[in-house]
Amino acid sequence: LVPVFSTAMFAVLGGVQAYTVLAVIVGIAFIICYYVHYFITKGHDMAPHAVKPVTFKDMGRSIGTNGQLISWFVHDALRCIAYYGMAALSAYYCKVVLGDPASTSVILVVFYLGCIVGSAFSSRVVKIIGSSKKTTIIGMVGWLVAQSLMLVLPFDLWIAAIVLGIGQVSYGIAYGLTANMYSMC
């Protein structure tokens, strides 16, 4: 949405003032969204089974010897690479495949909103499914299915936005459980 706002601001204010006002507006929006994200995920970082606080020494020892932690870290790194890779590839998809570079903003808004919605409902989905591990697996499988559908469906902006949005909700459900999964390790 920033290109749309910057064009509107430039038409009204012009020059440096437009970008200054836009930076303030985007900064305030970022702060608001950060606090929304904070309150959505508040409590997910608490380990329900922890009896004593974990020290830095304990964490250092666990990093090299805990197979579950190492496996989860590798999974999380690969998941983040795929996530940000998909965000970056949206510009390529819109420019080359769809032939409409301006539609990148639509794809990115759907991409990030889907993840936010999924993260917001992750704790409720865990209660239904019964386990953070199963919910994470189901969320990632749902994301994989949506990404695979993108390969066979017709090249259309709205089809891509809908399928990508559904996939991102599924991804967001798994992503919302990241802190919980780390605490289990």
Side-chain angles (χ1 to χ4, degrees), residues 1 83 87 90 103-118 143 147 150 157-172:
L1 295 176
Y83 177 77
S90 66
S103 62
T104 303
S105 60
V106 172
I107 294 290
L108 286 177
V109 167
V110 169
F111 187 84
Y112 292 117
L113 283 179
C115 193
I116 290 170
V117 168
W143 185 71
Q147 298 307 316
M150 294 290 291
L157 172 63
W158 297 110
I159 291 174
I162 291 168
V163 173
L164 187 64
I166 292 169
Q168 285 305 110
V169 168
S170 185
Y171 179 92

Side-chain angles (χ1 to χ4, degrees), residues 68-79:
Q68 291 177 340
L69 181 62
I70 293 169
S71 297
W72 180 254
F73 177 76
V74 169
H75 168 268
D76 198 30
L78 292 174
R79 180 177 64 175

Side-chain angles (χ1 to χ4, degrees), residues 32-181:
I32 291 168
C33 290
Y34 174 80
Y35 281 107
V36 167
H37 182 262
Y38 171 78
F39 288 113
I40 286 172
T41 60
K42 187 176 180 182
H44 288 287
D45 57 346
M46 303 304 291
H49 58 281
V51 177
K52 63 176 186 152
V54 178
T55 65
F56 283 108
K57 184 178 178 182
D58 294 335
M59 286 189 286
R61 194 175 327 117
S62 291
I63 289 172
T65 59
N66 187 336
Q68 291 177 340
L69 181 62
I70 293 169
S71 297
W72 180 254
F73 177 76
V74 169
H75 168 268
D76 198 30
L78 292 174
R79 180 177 64 175
C80 286
I81 289 169
Y83 177 77
Y84 291 114
M86 288 301 300
L89 286 172
S90 66
Y92 170 83
Y93 182 80
C94 291
K95 182 177 180 180
V96 175
V97 177
L98 296 178
D100 183 16
S103 62
T104 303
S105 60
V106 172
I107 294 290
L108 286 177
V109 167
V110 169
F111 187 84
Y112 292 117
L113 283 179
C115 193
I116 290 170
V117 168
S119 294
F121 290 104
S122 63
S123 62
R124 292 183 184 137
V125 176
V126 168
K127 289 177 185 174
I128 293 168
I129 293 176
S131 149
S132 293
K133 291 179 190 177
K134 287 179 187 175
T135 304
T136 299
I137 291 169
I138 291 169
M140 292 310 296
V141 167
W143 185 71
L144 177 65
V145 168
Q147 298 307 316
S148 300
L149 279 174
M150 294 290 291
L151 296 172
V152 297
L153 291 174
F155 300 129
D156 180 66
L157 172 63
W158 297 110
I159 291 174
I162 291 168
V163 173
L164 187 64
I166 292 169
Q168 285 305 110
V169 168
S170 185
Y171 179 92
I173 290 169
Y175 187 74
L177 301 172
T178 301
N180 192 24
M181 294 298 291

